């Protein structure tokens, strides 16, 4: 085996499974990382343009803080461990819970709080396409307002974020837990809420009889389970407000009438539909809940809703709130985002160690004016260096040989056009020369 082939396959060393990232996690090699960072820049810009400020919290949280509001589905997915002092800890599974904790610890922050994040979160989920154990979420939290304008604003930021990264065909499916609960109450099945929520959540994924069975096997009468299934309809938001939501009482009806008006002015209504099967797995939601889908991509690319009692639970102070989170990996998959190559601009090659100080001075100037510059380490011949620079995608090779050094010039090779010109050293050194 040649040295290069051996280097590529890496015979010897760690076994293959230890070179792979841990199950459910991934490496972000530079092209993928730059693509991720591009998403971060575009999404952050949208949040900031609405007045939201970026926040970050520790990846590690008190297990108790996480477990309290996770809900049955998520609690089992929390990465849990004890540190050496015996503290029970966990990795954050979203950013809403840590942010709620952080606000409850910093109560002098003026409210409403408008914060956004682009952060890694962890869930011990069964890894598959679109489902990872470490992934990124971008989202906003608007804490301290119960006004429907807050709901319209958050939905507006969501729509604008999706437009900014180029998802034209998204749909936000909205439901309201209060409304569903009212309906369950009127049917006398409120005590089966958890099973009914679980069943509704599966409406788009399982056949009718299976969804009905989730309810009946928990004790819901078959005729009522069928009625709930039929009631879980999907329709334009305006229509839902005038029918289902109106029947749920004046308070909800008034709220949604206003929300519709604000949302229409803020971002238009065409991307929003009402869908009673959207209930969401997280326990902390109290009112409006929604999920976001993009084109033909099967999994939800985002979700969110109102969590009016979470902050009170942590701080003892009433602070209605809402937010959304987009799953960045899923968003990138739905968009078919490719990696972004970002090679250095210049590669300086010198034949003689005596030219190193000149190479370093040139590199310093170029870097100061914004270029990315690599200096050959002295291990490669010019041919090897050229091949390497081409593989990296470097645009220009600056070659300083003994003869050039004596004449005060350098050779600049355009590796794209395969042209070479001579330039005076002073051109690169400017005032420093
Ligand atoms: P949630 O915090 O459950 O509301 O999730 C918000 C969004 O995060 C979802 O709509 C997904 O896009 C994304 N998401 C949730 N779980 C995962 C996962 N295991 N892997 C990748 N993305 C996920």
């Amino acid at each position: 085996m040649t040295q290069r082939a051996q280097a590529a396959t890496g015979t010897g060393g760690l076994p293959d499974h230890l070179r792979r990232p841990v199950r459910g996690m991934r490496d972000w090699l530079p092209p993928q990382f730059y693509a991720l960072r591009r998403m971060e820049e575009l999404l952050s810009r949208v949040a900031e343009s609405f007045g939201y400020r970026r926040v970050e919290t520790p990846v590690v949280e008190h297990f108790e803080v996480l477990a309290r509001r996770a809900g049955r589905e998520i609690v089992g997915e929390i990465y849990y461990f004890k540190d050496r002092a015996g503290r029970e800890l966990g990795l954050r599974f979203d950013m809403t819970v840590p942010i709620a904790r952080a606000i409850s610890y910093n109560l002098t922050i003026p409210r409403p709080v408008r914060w956004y994040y682009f952060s890694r979160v962890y869930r011990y989920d069964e890894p598959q396409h679109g489902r990872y154990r470490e992934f990124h979420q971008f989202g906003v939290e608007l804490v301290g307002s119960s006004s429907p304008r807050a709901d319209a604003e958050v939905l507006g930021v969501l729509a604008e974020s999706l437009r900014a990264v180029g998802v034209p065909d998204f749909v936000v499916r909205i439901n309201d837990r209060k409304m569903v609960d009212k309906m369950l109450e009127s049917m006398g099945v409120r005590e089966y809420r958890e099973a009914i929520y679980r069943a509704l959540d599966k409406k788009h994924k399982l056949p009718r009889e299976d969804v009905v069975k989730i309810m009946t096997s928990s004790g819901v009468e078959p005729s009522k389970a069928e009625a709930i299934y039929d009631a879980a309809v999907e329709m334009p938001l305006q229509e839902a407000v005038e029918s289902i939501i109106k029947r749920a009482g004046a308070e909800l009806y008034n709220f949604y009438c206003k929300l519709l008006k604000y949302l229409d002015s803020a971002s238009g209504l065409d991307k929003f539909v009402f869908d009673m099967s959207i209930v969401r797995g997280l326990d902390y939601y109290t009112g409006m809940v929604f999920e976001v889908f993009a084109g033909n991509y099967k999994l939800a690319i985002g979700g969110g809703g109102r969590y009016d009692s979470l902050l009170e639970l942590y701080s003892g102070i009433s602070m209605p709130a809402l937010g959304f989170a987009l799953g960045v990996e899923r968003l990138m998959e739905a968009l078919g985002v490719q990696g972004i190559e970002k090679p250095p601009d210049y590669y300086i090659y010198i034949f003689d160690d005596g030219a190193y100080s000149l190479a370093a001075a040139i590199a310093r100037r170029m870097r100061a004016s914004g270029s990315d510059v690599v200096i050959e380490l002295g291990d490669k011949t010019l041919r090897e260096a050229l091949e390497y620079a081409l593989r990296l995608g470097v645009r220009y090779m600056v070659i300083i040989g003994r003869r050039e050094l004596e004449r005060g010039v350098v050779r600049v090779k355009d590796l794209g056009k395969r042209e070479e010109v001579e330039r005076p050293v002073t051109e690169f050194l400017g005032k420093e020369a």
Side-chain angles (χ1 to χ4, degrees):
M1 199 183 285
T2 64
Q3 205 180 351
R4 195 153 152 193
Q6 192 185 10
T9 55
T11 12
L14 286 174
D16 211 34
H17 73 279
L18 291 182
R19 297 189 206 190
R20 239 182 267 143
V22 169
R23 186 164 148 78
M25 318 232 166
R26 59 183 283 190
D27 295 318
W28 292 84
L29 302 187
Q32 285 76 46
F33 183 76
Y34 283 113
L36 178 73
R37 204 171 76 173
R38 174 96 186 113
M39 301 294 286
E40 179 178 358
E41 282 162 2
L42 291 170
L43 294 166
S44 299
R45 183 61 215 127
V46 174
E48 298 211 348
S49 74
F50 279 81
Y52 287 68
R53 298 299 109 183
R54 183 149 176 178
V55 66
E56 186 52 282
T57 68
V59 167
V60 178
E61 279 288 341
H62 310 285
F63 181 71
E64 196 187 335
V65 169
L66 298 175
R68 261 202 200 184
R69 294 313 275 178
R72 214 170 66 166
E73 219 172 284
I74 303 269
V75 158
E77 296 179 359
I78 298 176
Y79 272 89
Y80 162 84
F81 59 97
K82 280 190 185 159
D83 70 6
R84 288 173 198 274
R87 291 183 193 91
E88 293 194 88
L89 305 172
L91 302 186
R92 62 189 181 193
F93 57 81
D94 74 1
M95 287 298 289
T96 304
V97 166
I99 285 174
R101 181 200 47 71
I103 291 176
S104 72
Y105 187 57
N106 294 277
L107 289 170
T108 53
I109 293 168
R111 294 193 287 272
V113 179
R114 286 183 172 84
W115 282 352
Y116 81 95
Y117 54 85
F118 188 104
S119 300
R120 290 186 198 211
V121 298
Y122 300 81
R123 293 184 193 179
Y124 198 78
D125 210 342
E126 203 41 51
Q128 49 191 287
H129 182 69
R131 212 174 274 286
Y132 308 102
R133 288 183 174 173
E134 178 187 67
F135 59 99
H136 295 78
Q137 287 190 335
F138 160 77
V140 308
E141 309 293 351
L142 175 45
V143 176
S145 172
S146 55
S147 162
R149 275 195 209 167
D151 299 60
E153 177 175 306
V154 167
L155 291 172
V157 181
L158 172 63
E160 213 40 63
S161 304
L162 293 165
R163 288 187 189 113
V165 293
V167 191
D169 51 353
F170 66 90
V171 54
V172 184
R173 298 178 169 276
I174 299 180
N175 190 13
D176 194 289
R177 281 191 173 181
K178 274 197 196 122
M179 193 215 66
V180 178
D181 290 348
K182 279 252 167 80
M183 191 185 89
L184 300 187
E185 229 159 73
S186 70
M187 294 174 80
V189 291
R190 181 73 163 76
E191 61 187 300
Y192 307 111
R193 179 178 187 256
E194 206 185 307
I196 294 169
Y197 271 28
R198 235 181 316 122
L200 289 176
D201 186 48
K202 296 281 180 291
K203 193 172 182 210
H204 289 297
K205 298 160 203 152
L206 295 177
R208 181 186 180 105
E209 56 272 24
D210 294 354
V211 177
V212 168
K213 202 165 157 205
I214 296 175
M215 295 186 262
T216 52
S217 63
S218 303
V220 182
E221 274 173 44
S223 62
K224 287 188 177 169
E226 299 279 351
I228 292 165
Y229 187 95
D230 291 330
V233 287
E234 182 187 323
M235 60 176 83
L237 198 52
Q238 303 94 304
E239 229 176 84
V241 171
E242 290 306 325
S243 56
I244 301 182
I245 293 175
K246 198 170 186 175
R247 286 199 292 275
E251 201 182 322
L252 268 175
Y253 177 62
N254 289 338
F255 183 89
Y256 276 94
C257 282
K258 285 186 188 155
L259 171 56
L260 270 186
K261 187 180 80 178
Y262 298 135
L263 191 57
D264 195 17
S265 317
S267 57
L269 294 174
D270 60 320
K271 298 290 189 191
F272 302 93
V273 299
F274 177 82
D275 181 343
M276 229 180 87
S277 73
I278 302 295
V279 284
R280 321 267 301 118
L282 293 160
D283 238 16
Y284 50 63
Y285 292 112
T286 52
M288 179 174 74
V289 283
F290 51 87
E291 281 195 354
V292 195
F293 294 86
N296 299 324
Y297 191 76
K298 287 267 178 324
L299 303 164
I301 56 164
R306 257 202 181 274
Y307 48 97
D308 285 346
S309 50
L310 183 63
L311 268 294
E312 187 166 0
L313 192 85
Y314 287 176
S315 67
I317 296 169
S318 163
M319 271 188 259
L322 83 158
F324 73 76
L326 290 170
V328 180
E329 284 78 0
R330 288 190 190 174
L331 191 54
M332 290 170 81
E333 281 167 18
L335 284 167
V337 169
Q338 304 291 321
I340 297 173
E341 296 292 340
K342 198 176 172 298
D345 306 300
Y346 291 93
Y347 190 120
I348 304 181
Y349 187 88
I350 50 177
F351 285 92
D352 190 316
D353 220 35
Y356 189 80
S357 62
L358 177 62
I362 291 176
R364 233 181 359 258
R365 284 289 302 192
M366 285 174 161
R367 288 174 187 144
S369 59
S371 294
D372 302 344
V373 187
V374 162
I375 304 179
E376 162 62 29
L377 299 176
D379 305 319
K380 293 190 191 302
T381 64
L382 178 59
R383 245 183 83 148
E384 286 166 348
L386 263 170
E387 194 188 323
Y388 171 66
L390 278 167
R391 282 187 68 187
L392 292 186
V394 173
R395 183 70 199 271
Y396 299 104
M397 186 110 180
V398 178
I399 303 164
I400 313 175
R402 195 164 298 142
R403 255 178 301 138
E404 285 89 20
L405 201 56
E406 282 163 12
R407 291 171 43 234
V409 296
V410 300
R411 272 153 60 200
V412 181
K413 217 176 171 59
D414 183 329
L415 300 184
K417 294 189 187 147
R418 298 187 176 258
E419 288 168 3
E420 189 177 303
V421 290
E422 246 183 34
R423 291 264 176 257
V425 169
T426 47
E427 197 175 293
F428 289 93
L429 293 179
K431 285 195 210 95
E432 227 179 88

